[in-house]
Amino acid sequence: MSPGVVIDGGAVLRADLVVDAAGRRSPVGAMIESAGGRRPDEELEDSGFVYYARHFRSVDGSRPTALGTLLQHFDSVSVLTLPGDNGTWGVGFTTSARDKQLRELRDPSAWQSALKLYPTAAHWGEADPITDVQVIAGIEDRYHRYVVDGEPVVTGLVAIGDAWACTNPSLGRGASIGMLHACALRDLLRDVSPDQPEKLVRRFDELTESTVTPLYRMTLAFDRHRLNEIAADVAGETYQTSDANWAMTKALYAAAQQDPDVLRAYASVASMLSTPPEALAAPGMVSKVLTLGANAPQYPTPGPTRAELLSTIAGPR
């Protein structure tokens, strides 16, 4: 495929450099293939999660007070609270797509009854709903690489953000990863001109793999552990793993509920302002995390057991 050419509905568009920022459903890989090029390498898998979400609006333009992190984990579910604009916000239950018993959450009455069981999130539902329960499923983990077996599959084109890789969005990292990816491209273009198309694509692949691919892999690893933890909850078991990183992640989350310094460190990691090793490098931080979090309950934020949740959504409302 020639440098800087995109084929779109039969039209040929020429540019010094084409940046694919079309999001997780970008058709560019198929377009490259249809133009006679080699399709980028792709990893594709269903994330395994489902969302049951509602949106609300306040009458006075205010938003609920945050009594915990925006994403809170409980027995077999997580609760996601997302502030919006103009006095609006969203609340979602996130759980395994395989959990048939929690499909009762599709019913607005069951959904509202369930939310009342979570003391740190219940008040987010005390407003005027502006949607019914929206079910979001089939969310894919997708990753592309445009240098395959050491050779670019296309020149004159790069993909950034979700067009390059995307995951289950509950951790809220997609926009941040996309911005970091865009900044990497900006910095590269200061050193390598688009009139060196092969060099540009190779260097961008190297930058992508060193700067944002680790963040994608870290997010994917968290999701896999969380999905396995939910599966264990459903089975009435305690999730066991030999992954020390997951153990430290759980301890950091638990300790953040008790100590402001740890909470700042947790927020820094969650916001990708620092990596876990950087956040834990602060003097005394590892000791504090292990003291407060290593032996904490599996779910330190108050909430119902799975049995209580199931009873509530299945009972009369």
Side-chain angles (χ1 to χ4, degrees):
M1 191 171 181
S2 302
V5 176
V6 172
I7 298 177
D8 183 8
V12 178
L13 308 175
R14 299 187 180 276
D16 294 331
L17 177 66
V18 175
V19 180
D20 178 12
R24 63 173 59 225
R25 301 298 183 187
S26 170
V28 167
M31 291 163 58
I32 293 171
E33 190 174 37
S34 68
R38 179 178 178 180
R39 196 179 185 116
D41 264 4
E42 181 180 66
E43 299 173 12
L44 177 62
E45 185 179 0
D46 191 303
S47 71
F49 291 95
V50 63
Y51 291 76
Y52 303 95
R54 297 195 83 179
H55 293 83
F56 297 86
R57 177 186 290 116
S58 65
V59 295
D60 60 1
S62 63
R63 293 184 304 199
T65 301
L67 300 181
T69 56
L70 296 183
L71 178 64
Q72 301 177 49
H73 304 295
F74 303 95
D75 187 345
S76 76
V77 300
S78 297
V79 177
L80 181 63
T81 51
L82 292 175
D85 297 327
N86 301 315
T88 65
W89 60 88
V91 183
F93 288 98
T94 307
T95 190
S96 170
R98 296 182 178 181
D99 192 343
K100 296 181 180 180
Q101 291 178 297
L102 289 187
R103 292 177 186 175
E104 291 287 339
L105 290 170
R106 292 176 294 186
D107 178 85
S109 295
W111 192 98
Q112 290 291 151
S113 296
L115 187 63
K116 293 176 181 179
L117 299 175
Y118 299 88
T120 55
H123 61 294
W124 287 77
E126 296 171 357
D128 295 330
I130 54 178
T131 67
D132 285 331
V133 177
Q134 299 173 314
V135 181
I136 307 170
I139 304 165
E140 296 173 336
D141 295 320
R142 185 190 296 264
Y143 163 86
H144 296 103
R145 190 165 185 183
Y146 287 78
V147 174
V148 181
D149 298 329
E151 296 297 327
V153 300
V154 64
T155 56
L157 181 146
V158 294
I160 64 171
D162 281 355
W164 154 74
C166 54
T167 64
N168 160 45
S170 64
L171 292 179
R173 293 177 168 178
S176 298
I177 292 177
M179 183 63 71
L180 291 171
H181 207 187
C183 289
L185 177 61
R186 175 203 62 191
D187 295 343
L188 175 61
L189 288 171
R190 290 170 175 162
D191 298 325
V192 181
S193 171
D195 61 12
Q196 300 173 283
E198 184 170 337
K199 181 179 180 181
L200 178 65
V201 170
R202 289 181 182 275
R203 287 282 304 279
F204 190 58
D205 175 72
E206 293 169 0
L207 277 175
T208 296
E209 291 302 301
S210 64
T211 59
V212 290
T213 295
L215 299 173
Y216 170 78
R217 300 292 180 198
M218 182 173 65
T219 304
L220 209 61
F222 180 95
D223 278 352
R224 291 294 170 266
H225 279 297
R226 179 60 184 145
L227 201 61
N228 289 336
E229 186 174 52
I230 289 174
D233 291 341
V234 173
E237 302 170 353
T238 300
Y239 178 49
Q240 302 290 339
T241 176
S242 60
D243 188 343
N245 290 328
W246 178 248
M248 182 57 78
T249 298
K250 293 285 290 184
L252 180 62
Y253 177 76
Q257 317 300 313
Q258 307 174 62
D259 184 273
D261 291 333
V262 181
L263 177 59
R264 280 188 285 271
Y266 176 84
S268 179
V269 172
S271 304
M272 293 189 302
L273 297 175
S274 62
T275 64
E278 289 170 344
L280 293 170
M285 183 60 67
V286 170
S287 175
K288 186 176 289 188
V289 168
L290 293 177
T291 299
L292 296 175
N295 296 313
Q298 182 180 8
Y299 298 114
T301 307
T305 64
R306 178 174 175 82
E308 291 168 338
L309 174 59
L310 293 179
S311 175
T312 297
I313 63 176
R317 293 180 289 274

